[in-house]
Amino acid sequence: MKLRSALRVRYVAIGVGVLACCALMAWFAYVEALRHYERVRAGEVAQRASFYALSLEAQLARYESLPRIAALAPVLTRLLRNPGDPAEQAAANSYLKAVQTNAQLAAAYLMDTRGNTLAASNWNEPGSFVGRNYAYRPYFSDAVAHGVGRFYGVGNTTGEAGYFLSVPIRDPEHPNAAPIGVVAIKAPLGSYEDALANSGDIVVLTDRDNVVFLGSVPQWRYRVLAPLSAEARAHLRATRQYGDAPLDALPGDTLRRYRVHYRPTGSLGWRIAILTAPAEDRQTAALAAIGAAAASALAFALAAALWLRHTRERERVRARLALQAAHRDLETRIAERTAELTQANSDLARKVEALDDARRILRDTRDAAIQAGKLAALGQMAAGITHELNQPLTALMTLSNNAVRLIELQRIRELARNLELINDLAARMGKIVAHVKAFARNDAVEREPVSIDETIKQSLALVQGHRKANDVTIRVAPIPDEAIALASAIRTEQVFVNLLTNAIDACAMSEDRKEVVVEAAMTARTVRVSFRDSGPGIAPEALPRLFEPFYTTKSAGKGLGLGLAISQAIVDEFGGSLSAANVEAEPGRRSGAVFVVELQRATVQSESTT
């Protein structure tokens, strides 16, 4: 009886210990899974926020030059000189209507220096701007004081929201004198808000005072994510930015149910806010915890079964006293070992097959990561490319209008010159688009002779917008014609674009000289291309980890830490190397960083295969 009682206590203790281990594994799995899913969700949300921000900035950039072009029209200057002339007013109204129609704007209008509207595209419509005074609007005072005014708000006359852009008009005969008027346009952002509503995200656009003015949830419009200060509320009332909206805060329990991710955008202090529900991550982590607990219980059950089986087998072996029993036991053991070897051979074959599958998946994953890196670089260059295309598009509009007028006047020689300029601008736009299409192509991994000179030229064209935005000079030393590497043109271009982008970002942090130097040199077997910047250099603690995936020294929202890792993988694939070091002006003082790409020369490969 005492033995049975002791065994019962022992089994109970073992059961309690097993349950405790399963609970501990479940808790550990829940914590780690929740942390992992939160990191993954944050990365995904950051990418989507960047996409929304770039889309908005691209749309706003389309309207940036329109008021400046409109301000050059002599008909507006004549009306400002003679504000009471009905003929001049009619001509100005007609011109502004044409601007509004061709550019698909909500309105275009002209104000004098006191803010009184003299002409407008809607002069013949109910709610016309003509005769209205908008001196209290910030875009009017900013245009007079700073040369340009930007503002988003609800129209005081129409009650419809829009994005306002304005510039001053100066007398051509006295260009240095004070402005004689202001021309403004009102652009609709309804298509952007529709895109947000169809995105599937809970995403809103807020101003610097946390007031929601666009978003995928119409009921949140003109509500605030945080209480407004008395000063901010008074300013909004004075400018009537959002009309008579009460600007109440969202219900407290609304924000408590979500995690808010912000991303700055535009030049007016706006922010993209994406709201995600943390409950989904907790549910997924709970499922992972249940799986871990079940796996732990199964492991303990298998261990107990093996232990019981071993105990019973040992008892049977001890019961065999005769030689016949020992012989049967030996045969049994031989059969078991044979089965184990057969199973081991089968397992080995499956592992070899799984290893081949894993290698194929690794290769496909690497190619996908390289293509994703190119698309991410294109996303970062989108604003610059848009700017490069926007200028020729604007010029094309002006030249097309001139061509129509020249045909009417029968000025054939000037018309021919005008058409030549249109053809040149179209060719320029075609080159820009061709560069982007070639860069985005998902090419096959085949090594071939690649001209380093041509690859550097293509890469410089792709980073041109980013270089101009940061006011950085790129100096390329003469590249020898025989600098031919054995690689892939598109993937080599991806590496160069990434290194040039990083160098431009580093130079942007410099307060004096902003210069990137690109040089190429050759040895008997390799081609070496170096990218040296005048930035602050690389911190000593960052150098050993520079090529680790997801390690970045850039601020949040400006990089995922994959660019250098992908670039190193591409160069390694070609049998080359990618290294980084600091440039020291004097011992202990950094004066920039240099990245060196070393590739095999095409002539070396040709000689080895003949």
Side-chain angles (χ1 to χ4, degrees), residues 57-95:
E57 291 168 0
Q59 185 167 352
L60 296 181
R62 291 176 48 204
Y63 305 116
E64 196 67 26
S65 60
L66 291 179
R68 298 186 184 278
I69 296 175
L72 299 176
V75 65
L76 301 184
T77 305
R78 291 197 300 270
L79 178 58
L80 290 171
R81 290 173 178 169
N82 304 284
D85 190 332
E88 296 294 350
Q89 185 180 34
N93 287 334
S94 178
Y95 172 75

Side-chain angles (χ1 to χ4, degrees), residues 245-478:
L247 303 180
D248 295 331
L250 289 174
D253 59 340
T254 301
L255 291 181
R256 282 196 294 269
R257 294 198 306 268
Y258 298 99
R259 183 181 295 115
V260 185
H261 308 263
Y262 291 101
R263 200 277 194 188
T265 185
S267 60
L268 296 177
W270 296 351
R271 293 192 296 175
I272 295 286
I274 299 181
L275 286 74
T276 59
E280 297 179 5
D281 296 338
R282 298 192 188 102
Q283 291 175 358
T284 308
L287 292 176
I290 293 172
S296 301
L298 179 61
F300 282 117
L302 290 176
L306 291 175
W307 180 76
L308 290 174
R309 180 181 176 184
H310 176 71
T311 301
R312 291 172 182 174
E313 185 67 23
R314 185 175 58 188
E315 291 175 353
R316 284 197 297 267
V317 171
R318 288 178 179 176
R320 296 187 182 106
L321 301 176
L323 180 60
Q324 185 179 4
H327 180 68
R328 287 197 301 270
D329 179 67
L330 179 60
E331 290 180 346
T332 301
R333 289 177 180 271
I334 292 174
E336 290 177 351
R337 294 296 182 268
T338 302
E340 290 176 358
L341 288 175
T342 303
Q343 183 63 34
N345 288 334
S346 300
D347 293 343
L348 182 60
R350 285 195 297 270
K351 290 180 179 178
V352 170
E353 183 179 358
L355 181 59
D356 292 339
D357 292 341
R359 289 173 177 170
R360 185 180 66 257
I361 293 172
L362 178 61
R363 183 173 59 254
D364 295 342
T365 303
R366 180 195 58 207
D367 293 342
I370 291 172
Q371 182 65 11
K374 291 195 288 186
L375 296 180
L378 282 177
Q380 294 175 355
M381 294 185 292
I385 295 173
T386 300
H387 179 74
E388 291 294 321
L389 291 175
N390 188 54
Q391 289 181 339
L393 279 173
T394 302
L396 281 174
M397 291 175 60
T398 303
L399 291 172
S400 299
N401 293 333
N402 291 343
V404 172
R405 184 59 181 164
L406 290 173
I407 291 175
E408 294 174 352
L409 298 176
Q410 296 295 316
R411 292 158 65 176
I412 304 302
R413 181 176 300 176
E414 297 180 17
L415 175 62
R417 175 56 182 163
N418 200 74
L419 293 176
E420 289 177 0
L421 293 176
I422 291 177
N423 185 65
D424 293 342
L425 288 173
R428 174 184 171 189
M429 295 171 63
K431 290 180 180 179
I432 295 174
V433 174
H435 290 170
V436 176
K437 289 173 63 179
F439 183 75
R441 186 173 67 245
N442 190 6
D443 63 330
V445 184
E446 295 182 359
R447 294 201 297 173
E448 59 185 4
V450 175
S451 170
I452 297 299
D453 185 30
E454 184 63 27
T455 303
I456 290 176
K457 291 178 180 177
Q458 296 286 356
S459 303
L460 290 174
L462 288 171
V463 301
Q464 183 70 2
H466 190 49
R467 181 194 70 79
K468 290 181 178 178
N470 290 277
D471 193 22
V472 175
T473 300
I474 299 181
R475 181 164 57 85
V476 181

